[in-house]
Amino acid sequence: MIFNKKGDIDFLDLLIQSAENTLKGAQMFRSAMMGNEPPATYLESLKEIESKGDSYTHEIFKGLNKVFITPLDREDIMELATHLDDVMDGIEASIARFDYLNITFTNDYMKEFAEVLVKSCEHMLAAFKLLAKKKYMQIQEHTVHINSLENEADRLMREGIREIFTHPQDPYHDFKLKELYERLEQTTDCCEDVADILDSVVLRYA
């Protein structure tokens, strides 16, 4: 458990550490998309990062059961922790698809999705650091970027699926790509969920 100088559980620092862990996962996913190794070789490493993310979420929830006074509304802390965990789960679920769907290659859409995820996680981490400093109005700069990146992910999914149907190949191959693109887009939706909660926090505390 992490405590602040007053001896209280430091929920905001736990959220920052969880965001740092999620960014690490996104960066590793990007490495998997950009490297020469089959993407599935990164699965075990990403599972470890995902497991660490679960431990942060568990620590936050356990702490909320022990204290009465929190730096934000309890529900806000719970939702931020949960949706941040959803992002890491989505990254791990995406790399897992390379394993069980036997996808041994990457393409430009996958690489661009990876960049969107890394940038989204960078903005989430920056926003959580500002939240800990109570610099509420500066948070919105980052939530705007996250929302814009989610729109970019929507575009990537639409264009990727359009290419599948305009240039069809083997049905199993096409199914694999569609399944992966949709899961990656859902993961960026989770980033937007974090941004939406941060926006609501700003409205109440700024």
Coordinates of all heavy atoms in Angstrom, one line a residue, residues 55-127:
S55 N -2.8 -5.6 -10.1 CA -2.4 -5.5 -8.7 C -2.6 -4.0 -8.2 O -3.1 -3.8 -7.1 CB -1.0 -5.9 -8.5 OG -0.1 -5.0 -9.1
Y56 N -2.4 -3.1 -9.1 CA -2.7 -1.6 -8.8 C -4.2 -1.4 -8.6 O -4.6 -0.8 -7.6 CB -2.2 -0.7 -9.9 CG -0.7 -0.6 -9.9 CD1 0.1 -0.8 -11.1 CD2 0.1 -0.1 -8.8 CE1 1.4 -0.7 -11.1 CE2 1.4 0.0 -8.8 CZ 2.1 -0.3 -10.0 OH 3.5 -0.1 -10.1
T57 N -5.0 -2.0 -9.4 CA -6.4 -1.8 -9.3 C -6.9 -2.5 -8.0 O -7.7 -1.9 -7.3 CB -7.1 -2.5 -10.5 OG1 -6.6 -2.0 -11.7 CG2 -8.6 -2.2 -10.5
H58 N -6.4 -3.6 -7.7 CA -6.8 -4.3 -6.5 C -6.4 -3.5 -5.3 O -7.2 -3.4 -4.3 CB -6.1 -5.7 -6.4 CG -6.4 -6.5 -5.2 ND1 -7.6 -7.0 -4.9 CD2 -5.6 -6.8 -4.1 CE1 -7.6 -7.6 -3.7 NE2 -6.4 -7.5 -3.2
E59 N -5.2 -2.9 -5.3 CA -4.7 -2.1 -4.2 C -5.6 -0.9 -4.0 O -5.9 -0.5 -2.8 CB -3.3 -1.7 -4.4 CG -2.6 -1.2 -3.2 CD -1.1 -1.1 -3.4 OE1 -0.5 -1.7 -4.4 OE2 -0.4 -0.5 -2.5
I60 N -6.0 -0.3 -5.1 CA -6.9 0.9 -5.0 C -8.3 0.5 -4.4 O -8.8 1.1 -3.4 CB -7.1 1.5 -6.4 CG1 -5.8 2.2 -6.8 CG2 -8.3 2.5 -6.3 CD1 -5.8 2.7 -8.3
F61 N -8.8 -0.6 -4.9 CA -10.1 -1.0 -4.3 C -10.0 -1.4 -2.9 O -10.9 -1.2 -2.1 CB -10.7 -2.2 -5.2 CG -11.4 -1.7 -6.4 CD1 -10.8 -1.0 -7.4 CD2 -12.8 -2.0 -6.5 CE1 -11.5 -0.6 -8.5 CE2 -13.5 -1.5 -7.7 CZ -12.8 -0.8 -8.7
K62 N -8.9 -2.1 -2.5 CA -8.7 -2.5 -1.1 C -8.6 -1.3 -0.2 O -9.2 -1.3 0.9 CB -7.5 -3.4 -1.0 CG -7.3 -4.1 0.3 CD -6.3 -5.2 0.3 CE -4.9 -4.6 0.1 NZ -3.8 -5.6 0.2
G63 N -7.9 -0.3 -0.7 CA -7.7 0.9 0.0 C -9.0 1.7 0.3 O -9.3 2.2 1.3
L64 N -9.9 1.7 -0.8 CA -11.2 2.4 -0.7 C -12.1 1.7 0.4 O -12.9 2.4 1.0 CB -11.9 2.4 -2.0 CG -11.3 3.3 -3.1 CD1 -11.9 3.1 -4.4 CD2 -11.4 4.8 -2.7
N65 N -11.9 0.5 0.6 CA -12.6 -0.2 1.7 C -12.2 0.1 3.1 O -12.8 -0.3 4.0 CB -12.6 -1.8 1.4 CG -13.4 -2.2 0.2 OD1 -14.5 -1.6 -0.1 ND2 -13.0 -3.2 -0.5
K66 N -11.0 0.7 3.2 CA -10.4 0.9 4.5 C -10.5 2.4 5.0 O -10.3 2.7 6.1 CB -8.9 0.6 4.5 CG -8.6 -0.9 4.3 CD -7.1 -1.2 4.3 CE -6.9 -2.7 4.3 NZ -5.4 -3.0 4.4
V67 N -10.8 3.3 4.0 CA -10.8 4.7 4.4 C -12.1 5.4 4.2 O -12.9 4.9 3.4 CB -9.7 5.5 3.7 CG1 -8.3 4.9 4.0 CG2 -9.9 5.5 2.2
F68 N -12.4 6.5 4.9 CA -13.6 7.3 4.7 C -13.4 8.5 3.9 O -14.3 9.0 3.2 CB -14.2 7.6 6.1 CG -14.6 6.4 6.8 CD1 -13.9 5.9 7.9 CD2 -15.9 5.8 6.5 CE1 -14.3 4.8 8.6 CE2 -16.3 4.6 7.2 CZ -15.5 4.1 8.3
I69 N -12.2 9.1 4.0 CA -11.9 10.4 3.3 C -11.0 10.1 2.2 O -9.9 9.5 2.3 CB -11.2 11.4 4.3 CG1 -12.2 11.7 5.5 CG2 -10.8 12.7 3.6 CD1 -11.5 12.6 6.5
T70 N -11.4 10.5 1.0 CA -10.6 10.3 -0.2 C -10.4 11.6 -1.0 O -11.2 12.6 -0.8 CB -11.3 9.3 -1.2 OG1 -12.6 9.8 -1.5 CG2 -11.4 7.9 -0.5
P71 N -9.3 11.8 -1.8 CA -9.0 13.0 -2.5 C -10.0 13.4 -3.5 O -10.1 14.6 -3.9 CB -7.6 12.8 -3.1 CG -7.5 11.3 -3.2 CD -8.3 10.7 -2.0
L72 N -10.7 12.4 -4.1 CA -11.8 12.6 -5.0 C -13.0 11.7 -4.5 O -12.8 10.9 -3.6 CB -11.4 12.1 -6.4 CG -10.2 12.8 -7.1 CD1 -9.9 12.0 -8.4 CD2 -10.4 14.2 -7.4
D73 N -14.1 11.9 -5.2 CA -15.3 11.0 -4.9 C -14.8 9.6 -5.1 O -14.1 9.3 -6.0 CB -16.4 11.3 -5.8 CG -17.1 12.6 -5.4 OD1 -16.8 13.2 -4.4 OD2 -18.0 13.1 -6.2
R74 N -15.3 8.7 -4.2 CA -14.9 7.3 -4.3 C -15.2 6.7 -5.6 O -14.5 5.9 -6.2 CB -15.6 6.5 -3.1 CG -15.2 7.0 -1.7 CD -16.2 6.4 -0.7 NE -15.9 5.0 -0.5 CZ -15.0 4.6 0.3 NH1 -14.2 5.4 1.0 NH2 -14.7 3.3 0.5
E75 N -16.4 7.1 -6.1 CA -16.9 6.5 -7.4 C -15.9 7.0 -8.5 O -15.6 6.2 -9.4 CB -18.3 7.0 -7.7 CG -18.9 6.4 -8.9 CD -20.3 6.8 -9.2 OE1 -21.1 6.9 -8.2 OE2 -20.7 6.9 -10.3
D76 N -15.4 8.2 -8.5 CA -14.5 8.7 -9.5 C -13.2 7.9 -9.5 O -12.7 7.5 -10.5 CB -14.2 10.2 -9.3 CG -15.3 11.1 -9.7 OD1 -16.2 10.7 -10.5 OD2 -15.4 12.2 -9.1
I77 N -12.7 7.6 -8.3 CA -11.4 6.9 -8.1 C -11.7 5.4 -8.7 O -10.8 4.9 -9.4 CB -11.0 6.8 -6.7 CG1 -10.6 8.2 -6.2 CG2 -9.8 5.9 -6.5 CD1 -10.3 8.4 -4.7
M78 N -12.8 4.8 -8.3 CA -13.1 3.5 -8.7 C -13.2 3.4 -10.3 O -12.7 2.5 -10.9 CB -14.4 3.0 -8.1 CG -14.3 2.7 -6.6 SD -15.9 2.4 -5.8 CE -16.4 0.9 -6.7
E79 N -13.9 4.4 -10.9 CA -14.1 4.3 -12.3 C -12.8 4.6 -13.1 O -12.5 4.0 -14.1 CB -15.2 5.3 -12.7 CG -16.6 4.9 -12.3 CD -17.7 5.7 -13.0 OE1 -17.3 6.8 -13.6 OE2 -18.8 5.3 -12.9
L80 N -12.0 5.5 -12.5 CA -10.7 5.8 -13.2 C -9.8 4.6 -13.1 O -9.2 4.2 -14.1 CB -10.0 7.0 -12.5 CG -10.6 8.4 -12.8 CD1 -10.0 9.4 -11.9 CD2 -10.3 8.8 -14.3
A81 N -9.8 3.9 -12.0 CA -9.0 2.7 -11.8 C -9.5 1.6 -12.7 O -8.7 0.9 -13.4 CB -9.0 2.2 -10.4
T82 N -10.8 1.4 -12.8 CA -11.4 0.4 -13.6 C -11.2 0.5 -15.1 O -10.7 -0.4 -15.8 CB -12.9 0.3 -13.3 OG1 -13.1 0.0 -11.9 CG2 -13.5 -0.8 -14.2
H83 N -11.4 1.8 -15.6 CA -11.2 2.0 -17.0 C -9.8 2.0 -17.4 O -9.5 1.6 -18.6 CB -11.9 3.3 -17.4 CG -13.4 3.2 -17.4 ND1 -14.1 2.3 -18.1 CD2 -14.4 3.9 -16.6 CE1 -15.4 2.4 -17.9 NE2 -15.6 3.4 -17.0
L84 N -8.9 2.5 -16.5 CA -7.5 2.4 -16.8 C -7.0 0.9 -16.9 O -6.3 0.5 -17.8 CB -6.7 3.1 -15.7 CG -5.2 3.4 -15.9 CD1 -5.0 4.1 -17.2 CD2 -4.7 4.2 -14.7
D85 N -7.6 0.1 -16.1 CA -7.3 -1.3 -16.1 C -7.9 -1.9 -17.4 O -7.3 -2.8 -18.0 CB -7.9 -2.0 -14.9 CG -7.5 -3.5 -14.8 OD1 -6.3 -3.8 -14.7 OD2 -8.4 -4.4 -14.8
D86 N -9.0 -1.4 -17.9 CA -9.6 -1.9 -19.1 C -8.7 -1.6 -20.3 O -8.6 -2.4 -21.2 CB -11.0 -1.2 -19.4 CG -12.1 -1.7 -18.4 OD1 -11.9 -2.7 -17.8 OD2 -13.1 -1.0 -18.3
V87 N -8.0 -0.5 -20.3 CA -7.0 -0.2 -21.4 C -5.9 -1.3 -21.4 O -5.6 -1.8 -22.5 CB -6.4 1.2 -21.2 CG1 -5.4 1.5 -22.3 CG2 -7.5 2.3 -21.2
M88 N -5.4 -1.6 -20.3 CA -4.3 -2.6 -20.2 C -4.8 -3.9 -20.6 O -4.2 -4.7 -21.3 CB -3.7 -2.6 -18.8 CG -2.4 -3.4 -18.7 SD -1.1 -2.8 -19.8 CE -0.8 -4.3 -20.8
D89 N -6.0 -4.3 -20.1 CA -6.6 -5.5 -20.5 C -6.8 -5.6 -22.0 O -6.6 -6.7 -22.7 CB -8.0 -5.7 -19.9 CG -7.9 -6.0 -18.4 OD1 -6.8 -6.3 -17.9 OD2 -8.9 -5.9 -17.7
G90 N -7.2 -4.5 -22.6 CA -7.4 -4.4 -24.1 C -6.1 -4.6 -24.9 O -6.1 -5.3 -25.9
I91 N -5.0 -4.1 -24.4 CA -3.7 -4.2 -25.0 C -3.3 -5.7 -24.9 O -2.9 -6.3 -25.9 CB -2.7 -3.3 -24.3 CG1 -3.0 -1.9 -24.6 CG2 -1.3 -3.7 -24.9 CD1 -2.2 -0.9 -23.8
E92 N -3.5 -6.3 -23.8 CA -3.1 -7.7 -23.6 C -4.0 -8.6 -24.5 O -3.5 -9.6 -25.1 CB -3.2 -8.1 -22.1 CG -2.6 -9.5 -21.8 CD -3.6 -10.6 -21.9 OE1 -4.8 -10.3 -21.8 OE2 -3.2 -11.7 -22.2
A93 N -5.3 -8.3 -24.5 CA -6.2 -9.1 -25.3 C -5.9 -8.9 -26.8 O -6.1 -9.9 -27.6 CB -7.7 -8.6 -25.1
S94 N -5.4 -7.8 -27.2 CA -5.0 -7.6 -28.6 C -3.8 -8.4 -29.0 O -3.8 -9.1 -30.1 CB -4.8 -6.1 -28.9 OG -5.9 -5.3 -28.7
I95 N -2.8 -8.4 -28.2 CA -1.6 -9.2 -28.5 C -1.9 -10.7 -28.4 O -1.4 -11.5 -29.1 CB -0.4 -8.9 -27.5 CG1 0.9 -9.3 -28.2 CG2 -0.6 -9.5 -26.2 CD1 1.3 -8.5 -29.4
A96 N -2.9 -11.1 -27.5 CA -3.3 -12.5 -27.4 C -3.9 -13.0 -28.7 O -3.8 -14.2 -29.0 CB -4.3 -12.7 -26.2
R97 N -4.6 -12.1 -29.4 CA -5.2 -12.5 -30.7 C -4.2 -12.9 -31.7 O -4.4 -13.7 -32.6 CB -6.1 -11.4 -31.2 CG -7.5 -11.4 -30.6 CD -8.2 -10.0 -30.7 NE -9.6 -10.1 -30.2 CZ -10.0 -10.3 -29.0 NH1 -9.0 -10.3 -28.0 NH2 -11.2 -10.3 -28.7
F98 N -3.0 -12.3 -31.7 CA -1.9 -12.7 -32.6 C -1.5 -14.2 -32.3 O -1.1 -14.9 -33.2 CB -0.7 -11.8 -32.4 CG -0.8 -10.5 -33.1 CD1 -1.3 -9.4 -32.4 CD2 -0.4 -10.3 -34.4 CE1 -1.5 -8.2 -33.0 CE2 -0.6 -9.1 -35.0 CZ -1.1 -8.0 -34.3
D99 N -1.7 -14.6 -31.0 CA -1.3 -16.0 -30.6 C -2.4 -16.9 -31.0 O -2.2 -17.8 -31.8 CB -1.1 -16.0 -29.1 CG -0.8 -17.4 -28.6 OD1 0.1 -18.0 -29.2 OD2 -1.3 -17.8 -27.6
Y100 N -3.7 -16.8 -30.5 CA -4.7 -17.8 -30.7 C -5.3 -17.7 -32.1 O -5.9 -18.7 -32.6 CB -5.7 -17.8 -29.6 CG -6.6 -16.7 -29.5 CD1 -7.7 -16.5 -30.4 CD2 -6.5 -15.8 -28.4 CE1 -8.6 -15.4 -30.2 CE2 -7.4 -14.8 -28.3 CZ -8.4 -14.6 -29.2 OH -9.3 -13.5 -29.0
L101 N -5.2 -16.6 -32.8 CA -5.6 -16.5 -34.2 C -4.5 -16.8 -35.2 O -4.7 -16.8 -36.4 CB -6.2 -15.1 -34.5 CG -7.6 -14.8 -33.8 CD1 -8.0 -13.4 -34.1 CD2 -8.7 -15.8 -34.1
N102 N -3.3 -17.0 -34.6 CA -2.1 -17.4 -35.5 C -1.9 -16.3 -36.5 O -1.7 -16.6 -37.7 CB -2.3 -18.7 -36.1 CG -1.0 -19.2 -36.7 OD1 0.1 -18.9 -36.2 ND2 -1.0 -20.0 -37.8
I103 N -1.9 -15.0 -36.1 CA -1.5 -13.9 -36.9 C 0.0 -13.7 -36.8 O 0.5 -13.3 -35.7 CB -2.3 -12.6 -36.6 CG1 -3.8 -12.8 -36.6 CG2 -1.9 -11.5 -37.5 CD1 -4.6 -11.7 -36.1
T104 N 0.8 -13.9 -37.8 CA 2.2 -13.9 -37.8 C 2.8 -12.7 -38.4 O 4.1 -12.6 -38.5 CB 2.8 -15.2 -38.4 OG1 2.4 -15.2 -39.8 CG2 2.3 -16.5 -37.7
F105 N 2.0 -11.7 -38.8 CA 2.5 -10.6 -39.5 C 1.9 -9.3 -38.9 O 0.9 -9.4 -38.1 CB 2.2 -10.7 -41.0 CG 0.7 -10.7 -41.2 CD1 0.0 -9.5 -41.5 CD2 -0.1 -11.9 -41.2 CE1 -1.4 -9.5 -41.7 CE2 -1.4 -11.9 -41.4 CZ -2.1 -10.7 -41.6
T106 N 2.4 -8.2 -39.3 CA 1.8 -6.9 -39.0 C 1.6 -6.1 -40.3 O 2.2 -6.4 -41.3 CB 2.6 -6.1 -38.0 OG1 3.9 -5.8 -38.6 CG2 2.8 -6.8 -36.7
N107 N 0.8 -5.1 -40.2 CA 0.6 -4.2 -41.4 C 0.5 -2.8 -40.9 O 0.6 -2.5 -39.7 CB -0.6 -4.6 -42.2 CG -1.9 -4.5 -41.4 OD1 -2.1 -3.8 -40.4 ND2 -2.9 -5.3 -41.8
D108 N 0.3 -1.8 -41.8 CA 0.3 -0.4 -41.5 C -0.8 -0.1 -40.5 O -0.7 0.8 -39.6 CB 0.2 0.4 -42.7 CG 1.5 0.4 -43.5 OD1 2.5 0.0 -43.0 OD2 1.5 0.8 -44.7
Y109 N -2.0 -0.7 -40.7 CA -3.1 -0.4 -39.7 C -2.7 -0.8 -38.3 O -3.0 0.0 -37.4 CB -4.4 -1.2 -40.2 CG -5.0 -0.7 -41.5 CD1 -4.9 -1.5 -42.6 CD2 -5.5 0.6 -41.6 CE1 -5.4 -1.0 -43.8 CE2 -6.1 1.0 -42.8 CZ -6.0 0.2 -43.9 OH -6.6 0.7 -45.1
M110 N -2.2 -1.9 -38.1 CA -1.7 -2.4 -36.8 C -0.7 -1.4 -36.2 O -0.8 -1.0 -35.0 CB -1.2 -3.8 -36.8 CG -2.2 -4.8 -37.3 SD -1.3 -6.4 -37.6 CE -2.5 -7.3 -38.6
K111 N 0.2 -1.0 -37.0 CA 1.3 -0.1 -36.5 C 0.7 1.3 -36.2 O 1.1 1.9 -35.1 CB 2.3 0.1 -37.6 CG 3.1 -1.2 -37.9 CD 4.1 -1.0 -39.0 CE 4.8 -2.4 -39.3 NZ 5.7 -2.3 -40.5
E112 N -0.3 1.7 -37.0 CA -0.9 3.0 -36.6 C -1.8 2.9 -35.4 O -1.8 3.9 -34.6 CB -1.7 3.5 -37.8 CG -0.9 4.0 -39.0 CD -1.7 4.6 -40.1 OE1 -2.5 5.5 -39.9 OE2 -1.6 4.1 -41.3
F113 N -2.5 1.8 -35.2 CA -3.2 1.6 -34.0 C -2.3 1.7 -32.8 O -2.6 2.2 -31.7 CB -3.9 0.2 -34.0 CG -5.3 0.3 -34.5 CD1 -5.7 -0.4 -35.6 CD2 -6.3 1.0 -33.8 CE1 -7.0 -0.4 -36.1 CE2 -7.6 1.0 -34.2 CZ -8.0 0.3 -35.4
A114 N -1.1 1.0 -32.9 CA -0.1 1.0 -31.8 C 0.3 2.4 -31.5 O 0.4 2.8 -30.3 CB 1.1 0.1 -32.2
E115 N 0.5 3.3 -32.5 CA 0.9 4.6 -32.2 C -0.2 5.4 -31.5 O 0.1 6.2 -30.6 CB 1.3 5.3 -33.5 CG 2.6 4.9 -34.1 CD 3.8 5.3 -33.3 OE1 3.7 6.1 -32.4 OE2 4.9 4.8 -33.6
V116 N -1.4 5.2 -31.9 CA -2.6 5.8 -31.3 C -2.7 5.4 -29.8 O -2.9 6.3 -28.9 CB -3.9 5.5 -32.0 CG1 -5.1 5.8 -31.1 CG2 -4.0 6.1 -33.3
L117 N -2.4 4.2 -29.5 CA -2.5 3.7 -28.1 C -1.4 4.3 -27.3 O -1.6 4.7 -26.1 CB -2.4 2.1 -28.1 CG -3.7 1.4 -28.5 CD1 -3.4 -0.1 -28.7 CD2 -4.7 1.6 -27.4
V118 N -0.2 4.3 -27.8 CA 0.9 4.9 -27.1 C 0.7 6.4 -26.8 O 0.8 6.9 -25.6 CB 2.3 4.8 -27.8 CG1 3.4 5.6 -27.2 CG2 2.7 3.3 -27.8
K119 N 0.2 7.1 -27.8 CA 0.0 8.6 -27.6 C -1.2 8.8 -26.6 O -1.1 9.7 -25.7 CB -0.4 9.2 -28.9 CG 0.8 9.4 -29.8 CD 0.4 10.0 -31.2 CE 1.6 10.0 -32.1 NZ 1.2 10.5 -33.5
S120 N -2.2 7.9 -26.7 CA -3.3 8.0 -25.7 C -2.9 7.8 -24.3 O -3.3 8.5 -23.4 CB -4.4 7.0 -26.1 OG -5.0 7.3 -27.4
C121 N -2.0 6.8 -24.1 CA -1.5 6.5 -22.8 C -0.6 7.6 -22.3 O -0.6 7.8 -21.0 CB -0.8 5.1 -22.8 SG -2.0 3.7 -23.0
E122 N 0.2 8.2 -23.1 CA 1.0 9.3 -22.7 C 0.2 10.4 -22.2 O 0.5 11.1 -21.2 CB 1.9 9.8 -23.9 CG 3.0 8.8 -24.3 CD 3.7 9.2 -25.5 OE1 3.2 10.0 -26.3 OE2 4.8 8.7 -25.7
H123 N -0.9 10.7 -22.9 CA -1.8 11.8 -22.4 C -2.6 11.4 -21.2 O -2.8 12.3 -20.3 CB -2.8 12.2 -23.6 CG -2.2 13.0 -24.7 ND1 -1.8 14.2 -24.5 CD2 -2.0 12.6 -26.0 CE1 -1.3 14.7 -25.7 NE2 -1.5 13.8 -26.6
M124 N -2.9 10.2 -21.0 CA -3.6 9.8 -19.8 C -2.6 9.9 -18.6 O -3.0 10.5 -17.5 CB -4.0 8.3 -19.8 CG -5.3 8.1 -20.7 SD -6.0 6.5 -20.5 CE -4.7 5.4 -21.0
L125 N -1.4 9.5 -18.7 CA -0.4 9.7 -17.7 C -0.2 11.1 -17.3 O -0.2 11.5 -16.1 CB 0.9 9.0 -18.1 CG 2.1 9.2 -17.1 CD1 1.7 8.6 -15.7 CD2 3.3 8.5 -17.7
A126 N -0.1 12.0 -18.3 CA 0.1 13.4 -18.1 C -1.1 14.0 -17.3 O -0.9 14.8 -16.4 CB 0.3 14.1 -19.4
A127 N -2.3 13.5 -17.7 CA -3.5 14.0 -17.0 C -3.5 13.6 -15.6 O -3.9 14.4 -14.7 CB -4.7 13.5 -17.8

